[in-house]
Amino acid sequence: MEIRITDWRASRDIIRKIREEVFIKEQNVPPKLEWDEYDIEAIHFLALDGRNPIGCARLMHTGKFGRMAVLREFRGQHWGSRLIHAIEDFARNELQIREIRAAAQAHAVPFYQKNGFNIEAGFFDDAGIPHLNIYKAPGAPETNYVFRPGRDKNIYPQNDLISLVGWVEMILAMRPRNAIITCSDLTHPLWWDKAALNAVREFALDSHRRRVKILIPSERGGINRHPLLRLQQRLSSRISLRVSPEVQDDLLITAPWGLLQLTDETQGVATMGDASRVKRMEAYYKPLTETGQRPREARRLSL
């Protein structure tokens, strides 16, 4: 196991192969957005498993780092943290940089928090993927509680679809106890978004102890074509679906600390520090996930 410091001229083909696999093929980043003029200027980091290159990242002389990628089969083995530590050490000892910064994908926020990074609130779109700005003084612990579950008491307005998707990706990656989705309006674009649906899927599959429970107010024709309900049918042992006329809200409840309330097609409000409100909403809706009716049309769904 090794992290090698290199440059674009020496390692271009290896770096391109890793980033093409992760960003272009896996995450559908357009090639014209992946490659830029900064690669030639950057310090590059290669993660090697023996002689096998399996990850990479780059650091600019300004302290901005990014393009961090680890091949799928090597994830969950702490290669990302090794790359971060190598970047921190180089920035502090070789460049004497006081702060390193990056744009992090929303689902990766828990990873960066574990590595001591501070988060700046405010999602933005980068290549169609929700991102947040992060920063850290190399070697120093975190200095704020932004987006720390149970500790961040702020209420965050979400003013576009990319922010709503980013919140879903981030909050479910933080692995709350469970998730309840209430859909008074199944036409809401959030639950048609592939990234949001994938976040629900990954959360449901992460542990046999976690469950996703979906509530809708009524069963209408064509319900079997809705992507959220198709996902439920594919993962029926992990995701349940019930019908109750008492459903009047569009919510994502992530107990014991998180809540996203949708207010229209592109807006909502979110919190991860109002435990009392989350408890009240969970107490109201959780019984309905047990007593609500099973939808007849969804049961007939053929996959």
Side-chain angles (χ1 to χ4, degrees), residues 8 14-36 39 44-45 54-58 65-72 75 83 103-105 107-108 112 126-129 131:
W8 187 246
I14 297 172
I15 294 168
R16 286 183 67 94
K17 185 176 180 180
I18 295 170
R19 282 164 49 179
E20 283 174 356
E21 185 66 31
V22 173
F23 296 128
I24 297 174
K25 294 181 181 179
E26 185 179 334
Q27 299 184 3
N28 297 314
V29 173
K32 65 180 180 181
L33 297 181
E34 176 58 31
W35 313 116
D36 59 32
D39 275 322
H44 291 268
F45 298 78
I54 54 88
C56 62
R58 76 181 187 188
F65 72 95
R67 298 300 200 274
M68 193 166 78
V70 176
L71 296 176
R72 183 191 294 272
R75 292 172 199 164
L83 282 164
Q105 294 186 22
H107 70 84
Y112 285 108
D126 187 349
I129 300 171
H131 282 70

Side-chain angles (χ1 to χ4, degrees), residues 4-293:
R4 180 181 299 170
I5 299 169
T6 183
D7 58 42
W8 187 246
R9 293 180 181 87
S11 305
R12 177 184 60 188
D13 292 343
I14 297 172
I15 294 168
R16 286 183 67 94
K17 185 176 180 180
I18 295 170
R19 282 164 49 179
E20 283 174 356
E21 185 66 31
V22 173
F23 296 128
I24 297 174
K25 294 181 181 179
E26 185 179 334
Q27 299 184 3
N28 297 314
V29 173
K32 65 180 180 181
L33 297 181
E34 176 58 31
W35 313 116
D36 59 32
E37 69 275 18
Y38 300 113
D39 275 322
I40 194 67
E41 305 172 11
I43 301 114
H44 291 268
F45 298 78
L46 268 179
L48 301 169
D49 184 23
R51 294 185 177 182
N52 187 25
I54 54 88
C56 62
R58 76 181 187 188
L59 172 67
M60 307 304 296
H61 288 79
T62 60
K64 184 175 182 179
F65 72 95
R67 298 300 200 274
M68 193 166 78
V70 176
L71 296 176
R72 183 191 294 272
E73 58 267 36
F74 292 92
R75 292 172 199 164
Q77 301 177 26
H78 308 293
W79 284 106
S81 293
R82 293 188 187 104
L83 282 164
I84 286 293
H85 295 158
I87 289 169
E88 286 190 59
D89 289 344
F90 192 92
R92 180 176 61 247
N93 298 323
E94 302 298 326
L95 301 181
Q96 284 82 51
I97 290 175
R98 294 185 178 182
E99 183 178 87
I100 54 176
R101 302 181 66 88
Q105 294 186 22
H107 70 84
V109 164
F111 162 77
Y112 285 108
Q113 288 178 324
K114 288 178 182 177
N115 282 282
F117 279 83
N118 300 290
I119 315 299
E120 292 181 357
F123 296 97
F124 59 91
D125 186 338
D126 187 349
I129 300 171
H131 282 70
L132 290 154
N133 287 319
I134 63 171
Y135 64 95
K136 180 183 182 182
E142 64 172 339
T143 57
N144 71 30
Y145 296 146
V146 172
F147 292 163
R148 284 285 177 180
R151 302 173 77 177
D152 184 348
K153 306 298 182 181
N154 291 304
I155 297 175
Y156 292 99
Q158 310 298 325
N159 296 317
D160 50 39
L161 183 59
I162 201 77
S163 298
L164 296 175
V165 173
W167 185 271
V168 172
E169 288 188 305
M170 178 184 70
I171 210 73
L172 292 180
M174 290 174 173
R175 299 300 184 252
R177 184 178 66 227
N178 58 52
I180 298 174
I181 299 171
T182 70
C183 295
S184 70
D185 179 11
L186 277 171
T187 67
H188 196 286
L190 177 62
W191 303 122
W192 292 76
D193 184 272
K194 290 182 179 180
L197 293 168
N198 187 61
V200 174
R201 176 184 178 277
E202 293 297 317
F203 175 78
L205 292 174
D206 179 67
S207 170
H208 68 276
R209 294 189 299 271
R210 294 192 178 92
R211 292 291 185 273
V212 178
K213 299 183 179 184
I214 303 171
L215 281 167
I216 59 177
S218 62
E219 187 175 4
R220 299 176 181 175
I223 190 175
N224 59 355
R225 294 191 296 272
H226 194 285
L228 181 61
L229 305 189
R230 292 181 67 86
L231 176 63
Q232 184 274 325
Q233 289 292 311
R234 287 192 290 269
L235 299 176
S236 58
S237 64
R238 301 291 182 91
I239 304 175
S240 66
L241 173 63
R242 295 291 185 270
V243 179
S244 172
E246 296 181 57
V247 175
Q248 299 180 354
D249 302 298
D250 291 283
L251 301 171
L252 171 61
I253 305 168
T254 45
W257 34 255
L259 184 69
L260 169 64
Q261 182 169 13
L262 306 176
T263 54
D264 67 20
E265 287 192 352
T266 59
Q267 295 188 329
V269 291
T271 180
M272 59 177 64
D274 191 347
S276 60
R277 186 181 178 206
V278 172
K279 187 175 182 179
R280 290 195 305 271
M281 301 305 289
E282 185 186 29
Y284 178 77
Y285 279 113
K286 190 173 181 179
L288 301 182
T289 67
E290 307 296 335
T291 61
Q293 294 182 345

